[in-house]
Amino acid sequence: MRKQYIKEIKSISSEEAGWHFGPSHATTQQVEDFNIEEMGREMQSCAPALWDLLGFLLGADSSCKAKDADADIIMDEAHDEYDSYWDDLDDIDLEGLINGLSSGTTPDGNKQTERRTAIVTIKRVVILSILMQSTNRRSNALQSILGIFLQSTHTPQKVIDTLSRIGISISTDSINAAIRSLSAESQNTLQSIGKSLLASYAYDNFDVDLKSQVPQAEKSHESLKHLTSGLLFPLEHGVTTDDLKCSEELWRQSALNPRAQLSTLPPKRSWKDLLHIHPESCNEFTPQLSRRDRFNARMFLSDLCEHGPLYFQQFRSDISEPEAVEEIPLIKTPITAARAMDVNNSTVSGNIRAVEELLAQGGIYDPDADILDNPDISQYVILVHGDLGTGERLQSAQLRRSLESTPWNRFQHIIFIPGLFHLKMACADAIWRTFLQPLSAREDETSLMRDETGTYCSKPGFRRTHQLIGHAGICRRLDCWRAHVAAMDPSHASLEAFAASEPTLDELKNTANEMALKYVANHKLLQMRRKPREQRDMQHENALLLNKYFLLYEELSYSMNRGDIGHVETCIVAWIPILQATGKHKYATHMTNFLINTHFVFPAGLKHAVRYHILVNLNGKAMKW
């Protein structure tokens, strides 16, 4: 067996095995293609004896676990640690990773068993990787990936050096060589994408606290550094340079153009014009429901089947997706990070510098500059993504420079696209301003959070508000089910009693359709509010409005995740008056102007490019936009 083990370790550590990683020639493709699941399968295939030996040693205590009186295995603290480890990993495809590492070998489908199998597999891969590097120094794929990861998380050099000596990571010098190689490749990619003119740019600010480790005679209180990060991604979905060749046409129609003729200016439009950009579609099975009503009915049904009594869970896979308005074709869009810029973009001049430096990284300069291979963008436009503050400052820059003589100096080539995630944050804040911030909104027993005086009433932040909307919305919709089925049949005093009657999926769908009209605010709310005060049920009115806002937020989130740009636009149109009513006038104005320009001012090619790139999919998976 000893000779067999030596033979296998030499085999998997050879160059032919494919696990050599040259840090000085590292490429992005190598990093992206690395897959610990694939590495584990290769090890099991090429070194079965070693693989089985490690599995036996790592699972040696599995056959002698302590059992209770009922012969059930008593879980130890290590298993609890494994479970908490997986629970913390909420930003990756957990199920896919666990299934890949466990190879679907657990017949009982027990999630805890699958997680422990995945942990053992990871340990096998790590141990074999240490043996591979010990046998052949160039067989260091896992160590190289871990080293780059440690560098990206700002791990102290002492820790990296320690892990390098253990055999888990490559050395600091090798990591630096890999970073230099990746940086050079990234710069070439940026230039290639940028000079094609088929690129979209995005940037935002970030802060770094550069505390000095060396005592100084004069202490500086300015340790906080304001920097700017950026990225580029190619324009897909059939966009060509001809679609972007409209700079002069837009300038002739621009109100910023001091020489523009009144006859060339587009007609003035308002929010009301946006109500018809996506005409309402009629469903032959539910003609009484609008598109939004049908989405709300699906949410009622989905919440019951996901979070209601166990009986209803059998219908989860039978619930169809909401109808699409205009989906963006599913394409994986590669993102290339730009070099961080020492620019504070909180000012107009800072945004001008940020845009010019970001374009320079993409190989785009002033057409009048004497630079080799500098593409002339005088007649083209460039898409730039950012938050509301970025849009305001870029608009101010274009206003200040409108008298300049060249398109480059006028910033004529910039087409700003607002970030939808920031819009989503604004919508969550609008809900907070309506139902949590005012003291009067927390006085009655049906309010969102009665008598709340803590964090949620001061500065809860987006994440807390987002989670509150999701969890409270589910609970309220389940309570609507309880009240509705009890009104239909007094014997259904609870959802459990309703489940015991074993309703069919069609019956549930019909009930959900009724609830979408009864428990969500619509045009009938105005009629309710016109009644004399003594005849009104204000708590019921507020509950209907709260359900409407929660569902509208869920609809925006769902359509963004799905990549349904048409559905997103209908949601934005509905949110604009809400944002304006809650004091978020800038967001309401900017989103109105953006949609008006997109649908009524931009040429067809530019309109297509803007709408199909306001959302991107980084991994090419459904519901991951």
Side-chain angles (χ1 to χ4, degrees), residues 363-393:
I364 306 295
Y365 300 89
D366 185 346
D368 294 335
D370 186 16
I371 298 177
L372 186 64
D373 294 333
N374 180 27
D376 186 355
I377 65 165
S378 301
Q379 300 182 44
Y380 298 89
V381 295
I382 293 176
L383 309 185
V384 177
H385 303 251
D387 57 18
L388 178 63
T390 297
E392 285 184 319
R393 295 179 188 104

mmCIF file of all heavy atoms in Angstrom, residues 363-393:
data_model
loop_
_atom_site.group_PDB
_atom_site.id
_atom_site.type_symbol
_atom_site.label_atom_id
_atom_site.label_comp_id
_atom_site.label_asym_id
_atom_site.label_seq_id
_atom_site.Cartn_x
_atom_site.Cartn_y
_atom_site.Cartn_z
ATOM 1 N N GLY A 363 -8.864 53.401 -21.938
ATOM 2 C CA GLY A 363 -8.203 53.807 -23.178
ATOM 3 C C GLY A 363 -8.915 54.919 -23.920
ATOM 4 O O GLY A 363 -8.682 55.111 -25.121
ATOM 5 N N ILE A 364 -9.780 55.678 -23.237
ATOM 6 C CA ILE A 364 -10.532 56.773 -23.858
ATOM 7 C C ILE A 364 -9.995 58.101 -23.318
ATOM 8 O O ILE A 364 -9.995 58.328 -22.108
ATOM 9 C CB ILE A 364 -12.035 56.659 -23.561
ATOM 10 C CG1 ILE A 364 -12.559 55.280 -23.964
ATOM 11 C CG2 ILE A 364 -12.796 57.772 -24.257
ATOM 12 C CD1 ILE A 364 -12.500 55.010 -25.439
ATOM 13 N N TYR A 365 -9.553 58.968 -24.261
ATOM 14 C CA TYR A 365 -9.032 60.285 -23.889
ATOM 15 C C TYR A 365 -9.705 61.352 -24.750
ATOM 16 O O TYR A 365 -10.492 61.046 -25.664
ATOM 17 C CB TYR A 365 -7.514 60.345 -24.081
ATOM 18 C CG TYR A 365 -6.736 59.340 -23.258
ATOM 19 C CD1 TYR A 365 -6.466 58.071 -23.758
ATOM 20 C CD2 TYR A 365 -6.277 59.665 -21.990
ATOM 21 C CE1 TYR A 365 -5.746 57.145 -23.013
ATOM 22 C CE2 TYR A 365 -5.560 58.743 -21.231
ATOM 23 C CZ TYR A 365 -5.297 57.484 -21.749
ATOM 24 O OH TYR A 365 -4.593 56.576 -21.016
ATOM 25 N N ASP A 366 -9.374 62.585 -24.444
ATOM 26 C CA ASP A 366 -9.843 63.703 -25.257
ATOM 27 C C ASP A 366 -9.411 63.479 -26.710
ATOM 28 O O ASP A 366 -8.230 63.249 -26.985
ATOM 29 C CB ASP A 366 -9.231 65.006 -24.714
ATOM 30 C CG ASP A 366 -9.760 66.240 -25.411
ATOM 31 O OD1 ASP A 366 -10.391 66.113 -26.487
ATOM 32 O OD2 ASP A 366 -9.537 67.351 -24.888
ATOM 33 N N PRO A 367 -10.361 63.504 -27.654
ATOM 34 C CA PRO A 367 -9.997 63.264 -29.058
ATOM 35 C C PRO A 367 -8.923 64.220 -29.583
ATOM 36 O O PRO A 367 -8.200 63.884 -30.523
ATOM 37 C CB PRO A 367 -11.319 63.466 -29.804
ATOM 38 C CG PRO A 367 -12.373 63.176 -28.786
ATOM 39 C CD PRO A 367 -11.809 63.659 -27.481
ATOM 40 N N ASP A 368 -8.813 65.409 -28.985
ATOM 41 C CA ASP A 368 -7.808 66.370 -29.439
ATOM 42 C C ASP A 368 -6.424 66.077 -28.868
ATOM 43 O O ASP A 368 -5.441 66.704 -29.282
ATOM 44 C CB ASP A 368 -8.228 67.790 -29.043
ATOM 45 C CG ASP A 368 -9.485 68.238 -29.776
ATOM 46 O OD1 ASP A 368 -9.739 67.708 -30.878
ATOM 47 O OD2 ASP A 368 -10.211 69.100 -29.237
ATOM 48 N N ALA A 369 -6.345 65.155 -27.910
ATOM 49 C CA ALA A 369 -5.049 64.815 -27.320
ATOM 50 C C ALA A 369 -4.240 63.955 -28.294
ATOM 51 O O ALA A 369 -4.785 63.112 -29.006
ATOM 52 C CB ALA A 369 -5.244 64.082 -25.997
ATOM 53 N N ASP A 370 -2.952 64.180 -28.301
ATOM 54 C CA ASP A 370 -2.058 63.444 -29.204
ATOM 55 C C ASP A 370 -1.639 62.142 -28.531
ATOM 56 O O ASP A 370 -0.538 62.016 -27.993
ATOM 57 C CB ASP A 370 -0.841 64.316 -29.543
ATOM 58 C CG ASP A 370 0.045 63.661 -30.598
ATOM 59 O OD1 ASP A 370 -0.436 62.714 -31.255
ATOM 60 O OD2 ASP A 370 1.202 64.091 -30.754
ATOM 61 N N ILE A 371 -2.557 61.169 -28.554
ATOM 62 C CA ILE A 371 -2.326 59.879 -27.904
ATOM 63 C C ILE A 371 -2.553 58.784 -28.926
ATOM 64 O O ILE A 371 -3.551 58.779 -29.651
ATOM 65 C CB ILE A 371 -3.255 59.685 -26.694
ATOM 66 C CG1 ILE A 371 -2.969 60.763 -25.632
ATOM 67 C CG2 ILE A 371 -3.086 58.299 -26.091
ATOM 68 C CD1 ILE A 371 -3.880 60.689 -24.428
ATOM 69 N N LEU A 372 -1.631 57.848 -28.985
ATOM 70 C CA LEU A 372 -1.693 56.768 -29.960
ATOM 71 C C LEU A 372 -2.895 55.858 -29.668
ATOM 72 O O LEU A 372 -3.194 55.550 -28.520
ATOM 73 C CB LEU A 372 -0.400 55.953 -29.909
ATOM 74 C CG LEU A 372 -0.222 54.859 -30.979
ATOM 75 C CD1 LEU A 372 -0.153 55.479 -32.370
ATOM 76 C CD2 LEU A 372 1.026 54.034 -30.690
ATOM 77 N N ASP A 373 -3.582 55.430 -30.741
ATOM 78 C CA ASP A 373 -4.723 54.513 -30.659
ATOM 79 C C ASP A 373 -5.840 55.060 -29.781
ATOM 80 O O ASP A 373 -6.544 54.310 -29.092
ATOM 81 C CB ASP A 373 -4.285 53.142 -30.117
ATOM 82 C CG ASP A 373 -3.347 52.429 -31.065
ATOM 83 O OD1 ASP A 373 -3.421 52.696 -32.275
ATOM 84 O OD2 ASP A 373 -2.549 51.598 -30.585
ATOM 85 N N ASN A 374 -6.008 56.357 -29.782
ATOM 86 C CA ASN A 374 -7.073 56.981 -29.005
ATOM 87 C C ASN A 374 -8.334 57.075 -29.859
ATOM 88 O O ASN A 374 -8.380 57.830 -30.824
ATOM 89 C CB ASN A 374 -6.655 58.381 -28.545
ATOM 90 C CG ASN A 374 -7.744 59.069 -27.741
ATOM 91 O OD1 ASN A 374 -8.567 58.412 -27.102
ATOM 92 N ND2 ASN A 374 -7.753 60.397 -27.780
ATOM 93 N N PRO A 375 -9.385 56.303 -29.553
ATOM 94 C CA PRO A 375 -10.591 56.351 -30.385
ATOM 95 C C PRO A 375 -11.304 57.693 -30.259
ATOM 96 O O PRO A 375 -11.341 58.296 -29.179
ATOM 97 C CB PRO A 375 -11.449 55.205 -29.831
ATOM 98 C CG PRO A 375 -10.978 55.012 -28.441
ATOM 99 C CD PRO A 375 -9.517 55.350 -28.437
ATOM 100 N N ASP A 376 -11.870 58.163 -31.343
ATOM 101 C CA ASP A 376 -12.593 59.431 -31.358
ATOM 102 C C ASP A 376 -14.041 59.171 -30.939
ATOM 103 O O ASP A 376 -14.804 58.524 -31.658
ATOM 104 C CB ASP A 376 -12.542 60.041 -32.760
ATOM 105 C CG ASP A 376 -13.148 61.438 -32.793
ATOM 106 O OD1 ASP A 376 -13.677 61.875 -31.757
ATOM 107 O OD2 ASP A 376 -13.098 62.087 -33.856
ATOM 108 N N ILE A 377 -14.424 59.687 -29.772
ATOM 109 C CA ILE A 377 -15.776 59.445 -29.275
ATOM 110 C C ILE A 377 -16.664 60.686 -29.430
ATOM 111 O O ILE A 377 -17.724 60.773 -28.799
ATOM 112 C CB ILE A 377 -15.748 59.013 -27.798
ATOM 113 C CG1 ILE A 377 -15.230 60.156 -26.917
ATOM 114 C CG2 ILE A 377 -14.942 57.757 -27.594
ATOM 115 C CD1 ILE A 377 -15.516 59.934 -25.446
ATOM 116 N N SER A 378 -16.263 61.626 -30.255
ATOM 117 C CA SER A 378 -17.009 62.873 -30.402
ATOM 118 C C SER A 378 -18.460 62.625 -30.781
ATOM 119 O O SER A 378 -19.358 63.373 -30.384
ATOM 120 C CB SER A 378 -16.343 63.769 -31.452
ATOM 121 O OG SER A 378 -15.020 64.072 -31.085
ATOM 122 N N GLN A 379 -18.700 61.595 -31.577
ATOM 123 C CA GLN A 379 -20.061 61.347 -32.059
ATOM 124 C C GLN A 379 -20.771 60.250 -31.263
ATOM 125 O O GLN A 379 -21.906 59.890 -31.596
ATOM 126 C CB GLN A 379 -20.010 60.946 -33.538
ATOM 127 C CG GLN A 379 -19.394 62.009 -34.448
ATOM 128 C CD GLN A 379 -19.414 61.558 -35.897
ATOM 129 O OE1 GLN A 379 -20.409 61.020 -36.377
ATOM 130 N NE2 GLN A 379 -18.312 61.781 -36.598
ATOM 131 N N TYR A 380 -20.118 59.727 -30.238
ATOM 132 C CA TYR A 380 -20.680 58.598 -29.508
ATOM 133 C C TYR A 380 -21.027 58.995 -28.074
ATOM 134 O O TYR A 380 -20.549 60.007 -27.552
ATOM 135 C CB TYR A 380 -19.697 57.426 -29.491
ATOM 136 C CG TYR A 380 -19.375 56.893 -30.868
ATOM 137 C CD1 TYR A 380 -18.324 57.421 -31.608
ATOM 138 C CD2 TYR A 380 -20.129 55.876 -31.434
ATOM 139 C CE1 TYR A 380 -18.032 56.951 -32.877
ATOM 140 C CE2 TYR A 380 -19.850 55.396 -32.699
ATOM 141 C CZ TYR A 380 -18.801 55.937 -33.417
ATOM 142 O OH TYR A 380 -18.522 55.467 -34.673
ATOM 143 N N VAL A 381 -21.838 58.175 -27.441
ATOM 144 C CA VAL A 381 -22.168 58.370 -26.027
ATOM 145 C C VAL A 381 -21.648 57.181 -25.234
ATOM 146 O O VAL A 381 -21.410 56.103 -25.784
ATOM 147 C CB VAL A 381 -23.695 58.506 -25.812
ATOM 148 C CG1 VAL A 381 -24.223 59.754 -26.483
ATOM 149 C CG2 VAL A 381 -24.438 57.275 -26.296
ATOM 150 N N ILE A 382 -21.461 57.403 -23.949
ATOM 151 C CA ILE A 382 -20.952 56.376 -23.035
ATOM 152 C C ILE A 382 -21.905 56.274 -21.848
ATOM 153 O O ILE A 382 -22.302 57.290 -21.271
ATOM 154 C CB ILE A 382 -19.527 56.715 -22.560
ATOM 155 C CG1 ILE A 382 -18.544 56.630 -23.729
ATOM 156 C CG2 ILE A 382 -19.086 55.770 -21.446
ATOM 157 C CD1 ILE A 382 -17.141 57.048 -23.375
ATOM 158 N N LEU A 383 -22.265 55.056 -21.483
ATOM 159 C CA LEU A 383 -23.172 54.825 -20.360
ATOM 160 C C LEU A 383 -22.397 54.799 -19.053
ATOM 161 O O LEU A 383 -21.408 54.083 -18.923
ATOM 162 C CB LEU A 383 -23.929 53.502 -20.539
ATOM 163 C CG LEU A 383 -24.635 53.286 -21.881
ATOM 164 C CD1 LEU A 383 -25.444 51.987 -21.844
ATOM 165 C CD2 LEU A 383 -25.517 54.461 -22.236
ATOM 166 N N VAL A 384 -22.848 55.594 -18.089
ATOM 167 C CA VAL A 384 -22.197 55.678 -16.783
ATOM 168 C C VAL A 384 -23.244 55.423 -15.706
ATOM 169 O O VAL A 384 -24.278 56.091 -15.659
ATOM 170 C CB VAL A 384 -21.548 57.057 -16.566
ATOM 171 C CG1 VAL A 384 -20.942 57.152 -15.175
ATOM 172 C CG2 VAL A 384 -20.487 57.327 -17.616
ATOM 173 N N HIS A 385 -22.973 54.457 -14.834
ATOM 174 C CA HIS A 385 -23.890 54.078 -13.763
ATOM 175 C C HIS A 385 -23.408 54.669 -12.439
ATOM 176 O O HIS A 385 -22.199 54.784 -12.198
ATOM 177 C CB HIS A 385 -23.970 52.565 -13.622
ATOM 178 C CG HIS A 385 -24.376 51.858 -14.883
ATOM 179 N ND1 HIS A 385 -25.612 51.263 -15.040
ATOM 180 C CD2 HIS A 385 -23.719 51.643 -16.051
ATOM 181 C CE1 HIS A 385 -25.695 50.723 -16.237
ATOM 182 N NE2 HIS A 385 -24.554 50.930 -16.869
ATOM 183 N N GLY A 386 -24.357 55.009 -11.577
ATOM 184 C CA GLY A 386 -23.995 55.523 -10.262
ATOM 185 C C GLY A 386 -25.219 55.784 -9.421
ATOM 186 O O GLY A 386 -26.355 55.506 -9.822
ATOM 187 N N ASP A 387 -24.994 56.333 -8.227
ATOM 188 C CA ASP A 387 -26.110 56.640 -7.338
ATOM 189 C C ASP A 387 -26.665 58.014 -7.665
ATOM 190 O O ASP A 387 -26.207 58.689 -8.590
ATOM 191 C CB ASP A 387 -25.684 56.537 -5.877
ATOM 192 C CG ASP A 387 -24.505 57.448 -5.540
ATOM 193 O OD1 ASP A 387 -24.239 58.390 -6.329
ATOM 194 O OD2 ASP A 387 -23.858 57.225 -4.511
ATOM 195 N N LEU A 388 -27.654 58.440 -6.882
ATOM 196 C CA LEU A 388 -28.320 59.716 -7.163
ATOM 197 C C LEU A 388 -27.357 60.891 -7.058
ATOM 198 O O LEU A 388 -27.397 61.815 -7.882
ATOM 199 C CB LEU A 388 -29.481 59.903 -6.187
ATOM 200 C CG LEU A 388 -30.254 61.211 -6.316
ATOM 201 C CD1 LEU A 388 -30.937 61.314 -7.674
ATOM 202 C CD2 LEU A 388 -31.295 61.335 -5.196
ATOM 203 N N GLY A 389 -26.473 60.858 -6.054
ATOM 204 C CA GLY A 389 -25.514 61.945 -5.902
ATOM 205 C C GLY A 389 -24.597 62.057 -7.104
ATOM 206 O O GLY A 389 -24.281 63.165 -7.570
ATOM 207 N N THR A 390 -24.163 60.920 -7.623
ATOM 208 C CA THR A 390 -23.326 60.922 -8.826
ATOM 209 C C THR A 390 -24.080 61.540 -9.990
ATOM 210 O O THR A 390 -23.536 62.364 -10.744
ATOM 211 C CB THR A 390 -22.914 59.483 -9.171
ATOM 212 O OG1 THR A 390 -22.126 58.950 -8.115
ATOM 213 C CG2 THR A 390 -22.118 59.442 -10.467
ATOM 214 N N GLY A 391 -25.353 61.177 -10.158
ATOM 215 C CA GLY A 391 -26.152 61.731 -11.252
ATOM 216 C C GLY A 391 -26.316 63.228 -11.135
ATOM 217 O O GLY A 391 -26.227 63.951 -12.143
ATOM 218 N N GLU A 392 -26.537 63.722 -9.923
ATOM 219 C CA GLU A 392 -26.709 65.162 -9.732
ATOM 220 C C GLU A 392 -25.440 65.925 -10.091
ATOM 221 O O GLU A 392 -25.497 66.972 -10.751
ATOM 222 C CB GLU A 392 -27.085 65.445 -8.276
ATOM 223 C CG GLU A 392 -28.522 65.093 -7.926
ATOM 224 C CD GLU A 392 -28.861 65.498 -6.504
ATOM 225 O OE1 GLU A 392 -28.001 65.300 -5.609
ATOM 226 O OE2 GLU A 392 -29.965 66.019 -6.290
ATOM 227 N N ARG A 393 -24.305 65.389 -9.668
ATOM 228 C CA ARG A 393 -23.045 66.109 -9.916
ATOM 229 C C ARG A 393 -22.633 66.033 -11.375
ATOM 230 O O ARG A 393 -22.053 66.984 -11.913
ATOM 231 C CB ARG A 393 -21.960 65.535 -8.998
ATOM 232 C CG ARG A 393 -22.278 65.806 -7.517
ATOM 233 C CD ARG A 393 -21.257 65.241 -6.573
ATOM 234 N NE ARG A 393 -21.717 65.368 -5.199
ATOM 235 C CZ ARG A 393 -22.187 64.388 -4.460
ATOM 236 N NH1 ARG A 393 -22.235 63.163 -4.961
ATOM 237 N NH2 ARG A 393 -22.601 64.594 -3.236
#
